[in-house]
Amino acid sequence: MARMKFLCDAERCIECNGCVTACKQEHEIPWGVNRRRVVTINDGVVGAEKSISVACMHCSDAPCMAVCPVDCFYRTDEGVVLHDKDLCIGCGYCFYACPFGAPQFPQAGAFGLRGKMDKCTFCAGGPEKDLSKEEWQKYGSNRLAQGKLPACAEMCSTKALLGGDGDVIADIYRQRVFKRGKGSEVWGWGTAYGKPDQKAAPAGTKS
């Protein structure tokens, strides 16, 4: 059984926000909720700017599932983390637990009046019958049931955002790394923070 995963290639992302737009259009997501967003670090710094598309990563050990007091989160056979809005009480614990900020309140207002949580579904719908009207109204389009990949990944013009079988995605990214000739250090510790073994010279000394 395939394990569905997302991967965003920071070397290819151009911050066009096509994935964000595709997601909102596919599911008719209301204003104020972004199931997917593009995060840019070192914005405007030539040669150091990197962008990455972020949404629910459908973790194997999802913290949102661990903290939910009513157990509304569940994992499908394909590894997609979904939630049951009929069980959700809108407490927001999942929002604080998720390192990616994936679960969101659907509307502004005083705490307790913000409604059920909303999050990326990997275009896999929800607990209702596949492709039913009830599923569409609560969770949006179920593209996986139609044999399609998530809209955000299909819309990505540079193929920076990959979504699908985790093993297939890993192979695609591995081939890209080999072709770039950078080894394992494509975008990691050394690029972001410098080499771990490099120590700052003491004050007053010359390098």
Side-chain angles (χ1 to χ4, degrees):
M1 181 67 71
R3 300 284 292 181
M4 297 297 179
K5 294 293 181 182
F6 280 124
L7 186 149
C8 185
D9 188 344
E11 295 292 318
R12 289 192 175 211
C13 182
I14 58 174
E15 198 186 355
C16 68
N17 282 283
C19 54
V20 178
T21 303
C23 178
K24 293 186 75 70
Q25 180 176 348
E26 181 72 21
H27 304 292
E28 296 184 5
I29 299 173
W31 177 261
V33 175
N34 286 314
R35 291 185 178 181
R36 177 168 290 281
R37 64 191 187 281
V38 176
V39 177
T40 300
I41 63 172
N42 299 322
D43 198 3
V45 181
V46 178
E49 183 176 296
K50 296 288 181 181
S51 296
I52 186 170
S53 181
V54 180
C56 175
M57 299 305 288
H58 302 278
C59 308
S60 299
D61 186 16
C64 57
M65 296 180 67
V67 301
C68 180
V70 293
D71 293 327
C72 74
F73 288 91
Y74 65 98
R75 184 179 292 104
T76 68
D77 294 337
E78 293 83 14
V80 178
V81 177
L82 299 176
H83 71 305
D84 188 336
K85 288 190 176 183
D86 289 335
L87 296 177
C88 177
I89 59 175
C91 66
Y93 286 1
C94 55
F95 169 79
Y96 294 107
C98 177
F100 307 103
Q104 299 176 43
F105 285 109
Q107 54 189 305
F111 186 81
L113 299 177
R114 297 177 179 177
K116 311 289 187 177
M117 300 302 288
D118 190 86
K119 67 178 284 293
C120 162
T121 64
F122 206 90
C123 289
E128 276 75 13
K129 182 180 179 181
D130 287 349
L131 307 179
S132 65
K133 181 180 180 181
E134 293 76 16
E135 182 185 53
W136 161 255
Q137 290 176 339
K138 293 181 183 179
Y139 308 98
S141 178
N142 189 341
R143 292 173 59 89
L144 288 192
Q146 302 173 44
K148 301 176 182 178
L149 291 175
C152 55
E154 287 199 351
M155 186 60 68
C156 183
S157 59
T158 61
K159 300 305 176 188
L161 180 61
L162 303 174
D165 187 339
D167 293 334
V168 175
I169 290 176
D171 288 339
I172 293 173
Y173 189 66
R174 188 179 299 110
Q175 292 172 11
R176 290 182 181 180
V177 171
F178 287 150
K179 288 181 180 179
R180 290 169 188 159
K182 295 184 179 180
S184 61
E185 189 55 49
V186 176
W187 174 242
W189 182 279
T191 307
Y193 306 106
K195 298 296 182 183
D197 55 351
Q198 290 179 346
K199 297 182 179 179
T205 61
K206 296 182 179 180
S207 56

